[in-house]
Amino acid sequence: KLGSDDDPLQPRILVTPEVRQFIDEQIINITNLMAVGDIFYQTPGSKKFKSYNGPVKISKSGTLFVKVVHNNYEDIIYEYEFKKEVPMKAVQLKNKIPGLSYKYYEGEWENLPDFELEDLIDEGNCDAVTVDIIEKKENFGLNFEGYIEIPNTGIYTFFLRSNDGSRLMIGDKILSTIDGVAGLDPIFAAPSRIALEKGFHSIQVNYFQKETRKTLFIEIAGPNMDQQNVTADMLFRDNK
């Protein structure tokens, strides 16, 4: 038995993979970490619980319900939200050139500024998203723009961290924002997921540095792609 009759331990359910967004369908596995009892599940759109005997296919948005049946468990139902996504359409580039364009600003900010309202100090092109293109160590801002090449249609996860503030946009969608001043160590934004079609997608990164340890990193993970830095060979601009 689990626990005592008066105070039974509750089941611990693990649903993998952790990504809850999908495009066509999602194959999931359900594990009872307590290893006692029988698992039953109800997929989005279904009206009945079924006995779990192996991987389950989810093809609709909605809630996955999971419960473990055992005479020492209370009747608890666990809920997991899944969302079927339509991939963001890729764009066509007329004349792609490796790298990004950037604009450089100076100022003393506590939060991400609206760079369109700031005085432009300089602009140019760079290979990748990096603060090393600027020698200044404090009180400056950067706006990077260009395109990221997505190798396969799928769900992609982006990871943003910076010291001080930053914002990441893909297409017209804000994925992550770090709006404020960091301490000595960079701030990590929560991972953000987006469905993307194979091809080129606009990318924009805003960044400001107030003081101490200027830092800006963007990482990506997706289909057949382990988490890795967004590198120069993924980034382009359109020389129209």
Side-chain angles (χ1 to χ4, degrees):
K1 286 186 174 182
L2 296 175
S4 66
D5 290 337
D6 295 330
D7 187 20
L9 294 178
Q10 301 303 323
R12 299 293 183 265
I13 299 299
L14 177 64
V15 175
T16 55
E18 293 183 359
V19 176
R20 305 286 190 245
Q21 296 161 273
F22 61 96
I23 294 174
D24 296 316
E25 62 183 34
Q26 176 81 302
I27 305 298
I28 63 164
N29 292 280
I30 307 172
T31 304
N32 177 11
L33 299 180
M34 303 301 285
V36 176
D38 298 318
I39 298 174
F40 290 82
Y41 68 94
Q42 180 179 313
T43 56
S46 174
K47 296 182 179 181
K48 294 182 179 180
F49 277 91
K50 298 180 181 179
S51 176
Y52 178 75
N53 297 305
V56 174
K57 180 173 70 174
I58 293 179
S59 57
K60 296 181 180 180
S61 294
T63 305
L64 169 72
F65 298 98
V66 179
K67 65 181 180 180
V68 176
V69 176
H70 186 268
N71 59 10
N72 199 33
Y73 289 153
E74 294 181 6
D75 189 15
I76 295 179
I77 297 177
Y78 297 83
E79 301 181 10
Y80 304 86
E81 294 297 325
F82 287 81
K83 186 176 181 181
K84 188 170 186 175
E85 301 277 8
V86 176
M88 182 181 290
K89 291 289 186 182
V91 299
Q92 298 294 322
L93 302 189
K94 293 182 178 180
N95 184 20
K96 71 173 185 178
I97 296 176
L100 302 171
S101 62
Y102 73 87
K103 294 181 179 179
Y104 170 66
Y105 305 84
E106 292 183 354
E108 297 183 15
W109 305 290
E110 296 287 337
N111 300 94
L112 274 169
D114 183 349
F115 285 122
E116 292 186 358
L117 302 179
E118 301 291 331
D119 292 331
L120 178 64
I121 303 299
D122 194 12
E123 59 185 321
N125 301 315
C126 57
D127 293 333
V129 177
T130 174
V131 296
D132 293 335
I133 59 175
I134 301 299
E135 293 184 3
K136 189 174 175 67
K137 296 184 182 300
E138 297 182 346
N139 299 318
F140 70 89
L142 289 165
N143 179 35
F144 299 91
E145 292 187 358
Y147 297 87
I148 183 170
E149 186 174 20
I150 297 301
N152 297 290
T153 298
I155 303 294
Y156 286 82
T157 306
F158 286 85
F159 306 83
L160 175 67
R161 59 189 171 106
S162 66
N163 186 338
D164 289 292
S166 58
R167 177 184 296 116
L168 170 63
M169 292 183 65
I170 299 294
D172 59 356
K173 184 174 182 180
I174 297 175
L175 291 188
S176 300
T177 300
I178 300 172
D179 191 16
V181 176
L184 294 177
D185 297 320
I187 299 173
F188 290 75
S192 299
R193 295 186 175 95
I194 185 172
L196 297 173
E197 185 179 69
K198 177 181 178 180
F200 295 97
H201 295 265
S202 65
I203 182 171
Q204 180 177 349
V205 182
N206 304 132
Y207 169 80
F208 85 92
Q209 164 67 359
K210 182 174 177 59
E211 58 188 14
T212 71
R213 298 184 182 180
K214 62 180 184 180
T215 305
L216 177 61
F217 291 101
I218 302 174
E219 296 176 307
I220 184 175
N224 303 314
M225 178 190 294
D226 294 332
Q227 184 174 338
Q228 63 181 72
N229 290 330
V230 173
T231 52
D233 61 349
M234 301 178 186
L235 300 171
F236 298 87
R237 61 184 191 275
D238 196 0
N239 189 25
K240 299 178 182 179

